[in-house]
Amino acid sequence: MRQRKVLAALGYTIFVLLSLSCGLSVAQTTPQQTTASQTSSFELKNGERVVFLGNSLFENDFQYGYLELALSTRWPDRDITFRNLGWTGDNVYGIARSTITNPPTGYDLLMESLTKAKPTLVFLAYGGIEAQDGEAGLGYFTEGLTKLLDKIDQLGAQAILLSPIPVLTTDLTQNVASRNAMLETYAAAMAKLASQRGKRYIDLFNPIQEIGRKTVITDNGIHLNETGYYYLTTTLEQRLGLAPRFTPVTITAGKQAGVTTGSAKLLPAAKGEPALTFAIDETLLPLPLPADDKPVTNNGPLLKITGLKKGFYTLTADTETLVTASASDWANGIELRQGRLFEQVRELRQMILKKNDLFFFQYRPLNTTYILGFRSYEQGRHVKGLEEQSILIKWLEGQIAVSRKPAASVYQLSPLK
């Protein structure tokens, strides 16, 4: 389960109320119904409400925010709301959501949370817990998943089913191969049901297993670490048919200077400066790199500059030094991994994490029994405080919305002196 952080909610309240008094507001839009199938192109429209519903595969991303960050930056000009309802150890019947207050049951709470989120699109990540019941539990799982899809249809939302991810190593006595074979059996059942219901199904099992052979992507062989969520997110983007975030840029230096590919634009250099000056019109922010690993795939813009004389050249952006490389290295291409875009996306990610922390403690307060349960006569007054968290969440969503569009940068490539 994710590490819980108690936020200074009072400080946030004061800050938000002051900001609101200065005229900050968040535009309201009407959600537009989406349509999806196994083969249709994927797109989030203005007004969408995206819900991540499942077990620890979603809950643990509260620590990293990769899934929301990736999808929200794909359409930076659109109003899209995200809610993470993942719950460690949960199954399609909401068993992990049960409290000592009964009713409501765990399933009741699952339905209540899903309904309250008002989704237009639900990503479903189940099967990992249920697969531990083996062949005997397959029918029960399929029945529960069917009921869950019925509920999502009833709410007028679309559903995308994600397969369980594999066990990469384990300290359990069970054999890893047999455990993974059962996970694949449950994944196949999900794929079959998705096909029957006309829902999109995404296989995560095989690509995650392949990536796990190349680098460490879990903390314990079962739960993904930061690097694992980076790859989970990029895999999801690929399986949804989303284009790469960047297209390579090739620039020719010298007397025949010009842009041959990409979205770069040459700019006049300052008088007397032997520098190649250009701007790159990026439409998407990069995903921030994991702190504990160097990805095996390209993450940032790939820049090729040909026609340079032998020597070393330094690239700067807005007076910040980014990279120094030889003329031959520039001709082969350099991946940019720092600069204003990366600073911007790091700040954006922190806002998403703060917003999700606030939401987590709103819909899963630490003292649930005392605030909402049968002992609410003791601390039930705090329900109002939970409701007021929505003001903070909405304000942060407004800040996220205005921070998703890439900031423009001017680059200069100069000979190393």
Side-chain angles (χ1 to χ4, degrees):
M1 184 174 291
R2 78 187 191 91
Q3 299 173 351
R4 298 185 174 187
K5 299 182 294 180
V6 179
L7 299 176
L10 179 60
Y12 269 117
T13 303
I14 296 172
F15 180 66
V16 170
L17 291 178
L18 287 174
S19 300
L20 291 173
S21 67
C22 294
L24 288 175
S25 62
V26 179
Q28 301 291 323
T29 59
T30 302
Q32 300 177 17
Q33 184 64 37
T34 62
T35 58
S37 69
Q38 294 276 36
T39 58
S40 62
S41 59
F42 179 79
E43 180 182 9
L44 293 178
K45 298 180 180 178
N46 199 44
E48 292 267 23
R49 294 183 62 85
V50 179
V51 168
F52 301 108
L53 184 64
N55 50 41
S56 61
L57 188 68
F58 283 149
E59 180 180 342
N60 288 347
D61 191 46
F62 268 111
Q63 300 175 75
Y64 310 115
Y66 268 126
L67 293 169
E68 178 176 341
L69 180 63
L71 293 177
S72 65
T73 54
R74 282 284 173 173
W75 298 275
D77 295 327
R78 299 180 187 180
D79 176 26
I80 303 170
T81 301
F82 294 86
R83 292 290 181 266
N84 189 336
L85 300 180
W87 201 301
T88 296
D90 204 29
N91 66 7
V92 290
Y93 293 96
I95 187 172
R97 299 168 194 262
S98 299
T99 68
I100 60 175
T101 300
N102 191 4
T105 65
Y107 189 76
D108 293 334
L109 292 172
L110 173 62
M111 293 297 102
E112 178 185 332
S113 297
L114 179 59
T115 302
K116 189 176 180 179
K118 299 178 181 179
T120 60
L121 172 64
V122 181
F123 285 94
L124 288 173
Y126 285 107
I129 299 298
E130 296 89 336
Q132 297 179 55
D133 294 331
E135 293 279 0
L138 191 57
Y140 188 59
F141 165 68
T142 304
E143 180 183 347
L145 185 57
T146 299
K147 290 176 60 178
L148 192 50
L149 289 174
D150 288 342
K151 178 63 175 181
I152 293 171
D153 287 345
Q154 178 188 338
L155 293 173
Q158 297 297 326
I160 297 178
L161 285 71
L162 307 185
S163 78
I165 63 172
V167 173
L168 300 179
T169 60
T170 181
D171 294 329
L172 304 177
T173 56
Q174 297 132 307
N175 181 274
V176 174
S178 61
R179 178 75 182 275
N180 280 334
M182 191 52 60
L183 287 168
E184 288 188 285
T185 297
Y186 274 71
M190 295 178 68
K192 181 179 179 181
L193 182 59
S195 178
Q196 293 171 344
R197 299 287 294 254
K199 308 296 184 183
R200 192 190 300 267
Y201 168 80
I202 295 178
D203 169 39
L204 296 177
F205 186 95
N206 289 296
I208 293 298
Q209 189 173 58
E210 182 62 28
I211 293 168
R213 295 189 180 106
K214 301 176 182 178
T215 188
V216 178
I217 59 173
T218 69
D219 290 323
N220 53 11
I222 298 173
H223 298 106
L224 298 175
N225 57 21
E226 184 182 14
T227 301
Y229 276 100
Y230 174 87
Y231 284 115
L232 174 72
T233 301
T234 55
T235 297
L236 182 62
E237 287 186 307
Q238 293 167 4
R239 294 303 171 108
L240 288 172
L242 299 177
R245 288 183 171 263
F246 303 104
T247 55
V249 171
T250 300
I251 298 176
T252 301
K255 294 181 179 180
Q256 302 299 321
V259 178
T260 57
T261 63
S263 56
K265 178 182 178 181
L266 289 178
L267 301 174
K271 189 175 182 179
E273 286 287 336
L276 183 67
T277 305
F278 57 94
I280 300 179
D281 183 20
E282 300 293 0
T283 58
L284 298 177
L285 289 170
L287 286 180
L289 299 172
D292 57 352
D293 192 26
K294 179 180 179 181
V296 296
T297 56
N298 288 339
N299 177 72
L302 185 66
L303 177 61
K304 294 183 180 182
I305 302 179
T306 62
L308 296 171
K309 295 180 180 180
K310 287 184 179 181
F312 286 83
Y313 296 81
T314 297
L315 182 70
T316 61
D318 309 309
T319 70
E320 177 187 359
T321 299
L322 302 183
V323 61
T324 297
S326 67
S328 61
D329 286 337
W330 281 114
N332 291 328
I334 298 291
E335 181 187 348
L336 304 184
R337 294 196 170 192
Q338 57 183 344
R340 180 180 291 185
L341 292 183
F342 288 90
E343 294 171 4
Q344 181 183 347
V345 79
R346 281 193 290 268
E347 293 174 359
L348 176 61
R349 185 187 188 187
Q350 289 304 310
M351 285 190 279
I352 288 175
L353 292 176
K354 289 177 183 178
K355 183 266 294 183
N356 286 340
D357 263 338
L358 288 170
F359 173 71
F360 183 92
F361 288 109
Q362 181 187 52
Y363 106 101
R364 293 171 63 174
L366 293 176
N367 295 330
T368 300
T369 301
Y370 293 87
I371 300 176
L372 302 173
F374 72 91
R375 297 187 67 171
S376 60
Y377 63 88
E378 297 183 48
Q379 297 185 26
R381 65 188 181 277
H382 294 304
V383 170
K384 183 178 180 181
L386 294 179
E387 295 171 350
E388 290 174 347
Q389 292 287 84
S390 296
I391 300 174
L392 311 176
I393 292 170
K394 196 63 180 176
W395 182 83
L396 277 170
E397 286 175 332
Q399 298 306 296
I400 291 168
V402 299
S403 303
R404 292 190 299 243
K405 189 172 182 179
S409 292
V410 174
Y411 297 87
Q412 282 192 326
L413 186 74
S414 305
L416 182 62
K417 298 179 181 179

